[in-house]
Amino acid sequence: MYDIPKLFPYGFIRKIHGHKGEVIIELEDGNLFDLDPDFLFVEIEGIRVPFAVESLRGSLERLICKFEQVSTEEESDRLRGARLFIPEESLTETEDADGGENMDIIGLKVIHPKSGLLGEIVDIDDSTENELLLVKMDSDGREVLLPFVSEWVQFVDEKKGELFYDYPEGLTEM
């Protein structure tokens, strides 16, 4: 069974570049520039279709992308103006020197999509089967434990030091 990944806005295809199927992408957020996604989802007639990224180069103002499935000017021109989306795992994972997944989330501010800033992650309790985030709340300085559930991670902005975390409201009142 294939799991459909959760997708986040990445940008859109502004125009074509050259004659070999390359396109110029305008990013949704400049913080996405440092990512190196294997796939981008191109919205074609309301359907998000995965395209393998062959190469991604350039600058924040002129990000040039070559998809494996697109090799001509005509094919790339049909994608002009299409919205682009990136899989969640491309936003939340980095690789360490051993090639394994690793992310240091201690020190990140936890942001809930509805209630806003909760506080800062000060520790991770991994002594149980389920990891728990120890969050020092900004409002009153008390600490709360939140279960770390990867599906609740919406977005990580390492440059701003923020973790957008959609935990169930009321969980911090326990």
Side-chain angles (χ1 to χ4, degrees):
M1 180 176 188
Y2 178 72
D3 290 330
I4 298 173
K6 189 170 184 178
L7 302 175
F8 292 92
Y10 184 74
F12 72 94
I13 297 174
R14 188 170 28 153
K15 60 183 182 177
I16 64 173
H17 177 75
H19 302 286
K20 296 182 180 176
E22 292 181 318
V23 295
I24 296 178
I25 294 174
E26 185 168 319
L27 294 174
E28 182 83 16
D29 183 334
N31 293 319
L32 299 172
F33 176 73
D34 292 328
L35 299 178
D36 189 19
D38 294 327
F39 286 89
L40 288 175
F41 285 74
V42 180
E43 192 170 70
I44 301 171
E45 296 180 13
I47 299 171
R48 296 173 183 171
V49 180
F51 279 73
V53 176
E54 185 176 305
S55 67
L56 197 59
R57 68 183 194 285
S59 65
L60 185 59
E61 293 77 30
R62 189 173 173 87
L63 186 59
I64 301 169
C65 178
K66 172 72 174 85
F67 294 116
E68 288 180 10
Q69 300 94 321
V70 179
S71 58
T72 67
E73 183 178 353
E74 292 77 23
E75 291 171 337
S76 62
D77 193 42
R78 281 184 261 175
L79 300 176
R80 187 189 328 214
R83 294 177 58 208
L84 298 172
F85 296 85
I86 189 167
E88 173 184 43
E89 60 268 10
S90 298
L91 297 172
T92 59
E93 296 173 355
T94 58
E95 288 195 354
D96 61 18
D98 300 333
E101 295 171 8
N102 181 32
M103 184 191 325
D104 186 14
I105 61 174
I106 294 176
L108 295 182
K109 298 214 180 299
V110 176
I111 312 285
H112 188 273
K114 292 181 183 160
S115 40
L117 177 66
L118 174 67
E120 182 179 329
I121 300 171
V122 294
D123 199 6
I124 298 174
D125 180 355
D126 58 0
S127 63
T128 63
E129 188 173 325
N130 298 322
E131 290 183 335
L132 300 170
L133 302 176
L134 181 61
V135 180
K136 184 173 184 179
M137 296 179 66
D138 277 2
S139 60
D140 57 12
R142 73 182 168 102
E143 294 178 341
V144 295
L145 287 171
L146 290 176
F148 185 69
V149 180
S150 61
E151 289 81 22
W152 295 354
V153 175
Q154 291 188 315
F155 181 75
V156 177
D157 185 336
E158 291 185 72
K159 290 184 180 177
K160 290 183 180 177
E162 297 174 336
L163 169 74
F164 291 83
Y165 198 58
D166 193 10
Y167 57 88
E169 290 189 88
L171 193 59
T172 59
E173 307 306 318
M174 302 175 111

